[in-house]
Amino acid sequence: MASHLPQSTPASTDIVDNSMLTVLICRIIPGHPHVCDCVTVREGGVAEPSSIAQRVNPPLPTHVRRVVSPRVVDRLAAGRFNPGPGDVVLVCEEAAMRAEELAVRNNLKETPPALAFERLLQDACDITGETVFLLLSKEADAADGSATQPSSLGQAQPRSLLTGQSTRLGAAFLQVGSLERIASIRKNYQTLISLDEKIGSRIKRFKSERDFLMLGYCLILTDQKAVGPGYAAAVRFEDEAELHPSLLSDILGKIADDVWAEVLERIPELEAFSSKVISEGSRGFTIGRTPFNMASLAKNQIVEFHLNLRDAHWTVLVWLHGGEGPIQEGWFGLPAFGLQFLPTTLTVAVFNAASITHGTAPCVIPEGSSACRFGSSHFLRMPDLENLICLRIGADSNGLTLQDLRDAAANANGKAGRRAISTLRKELIASGRAEFRQSGGGQQAWRDAAVEWRDWNL
């Protein structure tokens, strides 16, 4: 966290005697006494957080605890993730979090959107500028179900918070520190942003204030009307602009590869997620070398609390900044975790967007500030990936290629021609899906977190 924030006296720490290893747990974030409500963007996109209102930072919710002991952090992290000396490791009770998530969803049904962020984030603990690894915990399978454990003297000792528990990765919020990687990601995003402006100017039926640029691999490969207009605009732009036809996908691939490399360096355990998604069947349908097939890009955009129910277990969100000057508010929040933060220079979040309600509060750009915040999501939209895999299988079985289908769609005459292509595509997907399912494929496999529960044993 930035050193200019004032220090406070830590709240009392719960010390749990674990016999051989002391587990220190507390509910405050060190050196973070106030909620950050502003970032000031400097040259090169450097974003420095501060607290204007000096509102006291709430503690972590009761079902989330920070692990203090470096030895315990090392044991929890071994073979899973690579925390730095100042990084924060949290343990969150999964059952309690699920109950909180259900309460959040019920609350949103009764809350006007304009009040949702204020109500659901009013007690959220601010983690702006922190790198945080959040582990979920649950009761481990125990042979005797004992709530105590014997000491070497045969006397029962109090059980630790982690004794009898299993943990696995639940989320991570990373601050990218490599200047080289930041420069590469920013450069390619800037190119993508400039192309986005050209896409909007060339597609007359697009409103100039549209919210998101959508890119990636989905059924737009064969039918421009098969998905939303954002994807169609990108494809038409490549066809119309005097640029290399794969420029957009090449740039997006470089961005995604850089971001995913950062994630895997910090969380090597997630390599297993890539292995579940990337296969011969998905070849050519994921972005770069990542397990994601789609990406979005937005500027200074409020995103109401929501779930991405059709997405795979892991989603990656990226934030970066442009211009210079202050940006006030605009927290990203996950109410069930009781956490919120303002993105800083280059912030990356990794979590399950399909099951954890999340959203971005409105930001305020003061008069005279040219600063702006870009938010980008890299995600695996499983129905689209499966449809494309099945389409390719079906086409291959019928002596066709995807290029044949693209050419046919481009040359279709009138509504009748487009209907014929659409009908053919559906038939090929259906035949390919039968073969795909027989081979053991299917999108449910990609709902797997691909990270293991690990028992805490002394």
Side-chain angles (χ1 to χ4, degrees):
M1 188 61 203
S3 60
H4 64 273
L5 291 177
Q7 303 292 311
S8 67
T9 302
S12 61
T13 299
D14 300 319
I15 303 178
V16 183
D17 183 14
N18 176 336
S19 242
M20 299 296 294
L21 193 61
T22 298
V23 180
L24 303 181
I25 307 289
C26 74
R27 292 182 57 206
I28 59 98
I29 304 298
H32 208 126
H34 299 116
V35 172
C36 292
D37 51 21
C38 179
V39 298
T40 301
V41 183
R42 312 289 187 192
E43 183 179 358
V46 175
E48 300 174 349
S50 62
S51 178
I52 297 175
Q54 294 283 286
R55 181 166 74 89
V56 174
N57 194 14
L60 293 165
T62 56
H63 61 288
V64 180
R65 292 289 189 272
R66 180 172 66 89
V67 180
V68 177
S69 165
R71 293 177 62 195
V72 174
V73 167
D74 288 345
R75 287 191 56 187
L76 289 170
R80 294 164 146 182
F81 57 94
N82 298 317
D87 294 346
V88 175
V89 175
L90 304 177
V91 177
C92 171
E93 298 173 22
E94 184 186 42
M97 183 275 290
R98 297 298 180 198
E100 287 292 326
E101 174 62 26
L102 181 60
V104 166
R105 297 180 194 182
N106 290 333
N107 196 329
L108 285 173
K109 295 176 183 177
E110 308 295 331
T111 303
L115 301 177
F117 287 101
E118 179 181 353
R119 290 184 180 178
L120 292 180
L121 296 182
Q122 61 182 344
D123 296 322
C125 181
D126 186 73
I127 57 169
T128 298
E130 309 284 354
T131 286
V132 176
F133 300 93
L134 183 146
L135 297 175
L136 300 178
S137 67
K138 68 175 184 178
E139 288 288 333
D141 294 332
D144 58 5
S146 174
T148 61
Q149 57 186 39
S151 71
S152 58
L153 300 178
Q155 297 177 332
Q157 296 295 322
R159 109 185 227 165
S160 140
L161 186 78
L162 292 176
T163 300
Q165 297 288 302
S166 286
T167 61
R168 74 161 174 82
L169 183 72
F173 311 100
L174 312 175
Q175 311 302 323
V176 180
S178 166
L179 296 180
E180 181 179 358
R181 182 160 286 157
I182 290 174
S184 175
I185 294 172
R186 279 183 52 80
K187 175 185 175 181
N188 286 311
Y189 263 121
Q190 287 168 346
T191 303
L192 193 64
I193 290 163
S194 68
L195 291 174
D196 180 24
E197 295 170 353
K198 294 178 182 179
I199 292 172
S201 68
R202 296 177 72 93
I203 308 302
K204 294 182 180 179
R205 66 184 181 82
F206 252 39
K207 296 180 180 179
S208 60
E209 67 272 17
R210 76 195 195 291
D211 295 337
F212 295 93
L213 168 67
M214 304 295 291
L215 293 169
Y217 299 93
C218 50
L219 281 177
I220 196 63
L221 285 172
T222 56
D223 184 347
Q224 294 178 359
K225 294 185 179 296
V227 293
Y231 300 98
V235 171
R236 286 197 296 272
F237 173 73
E238 287 191 337
D239 291 339
E240 298 170 9
E242 296 178 358
L243 296 169
H244 189 280
S246 63
L247 179 63
L248 282 172
S249 57
D250 289 348
I251 294 171
L252 188 60
K254 292 176 182 178
I255 293 170
D257 285 347
D258 272 346
V259 172
W260 191 236
E262 177 71 23
V263 170
L264 292 183
E265 283 183 12
R266 304 305 302 274
I267 316 171
E269 189 179 26
L270 285 181
E271 181 61 48
F273 180 63
S274 288
S275 299
K276 280 188 174 290
V277 175
I278 299 174
S279 66
E280 180 60 25
S282 64
R283 172 182 47 82
F285 297 146
T286 57
I287 299 171
R289 297 183 298 277
T290 77
F292 308 109
N293 65 332
M294 295 188 187
S296 66
L297 178 65
K299 178 181 177 181
N300 297 337
Q301 182 64 41
I302 176 177
V303 182
E304 294 180 357
F305 284 122
H306 68 289
L307 294 165
N308 301 102
L309 296 174
R310 294 188 297 161
D311 292 358
H313 189 95
W314 296 110
T315 290
V316 171
L317 271 59
V318 185
W319 292 270
L320 65 162
H321 297 80
E324 293 187 21
I327 302 177
Q328 297 172 2
E329 303 183 354
W331 295 279
F332 180 77
L334 303 100
F337 288 146
L339 301 175
Q340 68 171 33
F341 60 85
L342 294 179
T344 56
T345 301
L346 189 59
T347 299
V348 176
V350 186
F351 68 104
N352 185 352
S355 66
I356 304 298
T357 297
H358 55 285
T360 302
C363 64
V364 177
I365 311 296
E367 185 177 354
S369 173
S370 66
C372 57
R373 176 176 296 142
F374 294 95
S376 180
S377 176
H378 302 183
F379 55 102
L380 173 59
R381 184 61 51 82
M382 297 183 297
D384 282 292
L385 181 57
E386 181 170 313
N387 281 337
L388 282 171
I389 292 173
C390 295
L391 179 62
R392 180 155 58 194
I393 293 172
D396 288 346
S397 298
N398 286 271
L400 298 171
T401 68
L402 292 185
Q403 187 59 51
D404 293 333
L405 296 174
R406 281 195 291 267
D407 293 342
N411 296 323
N413 294 320
K415 292 183 178 179
R418 288 193 293 271
R419 278 197 300 268
I421 291 297
S422 179
T423 299
L424 174 61
R425 187 186 68 246
K426 291 177 181 178
E427 292 173 351
L428 294 174
I429 290 173
S431 66
R433 178 166 286 115
E435 184 176 339
F436 184 54
R437 295 285 169 82
Q438 288 177 356
S439 68
Q443 58 181 262
Q444 291 305 315
W446 302 320
R447 286 201 180 279
D448 189 347
V451 292
E452 300 295 331
W453 287 96
R454 181 188 297 174
D455 292 351
W456 175 265
N457 295 313
L458 287 178

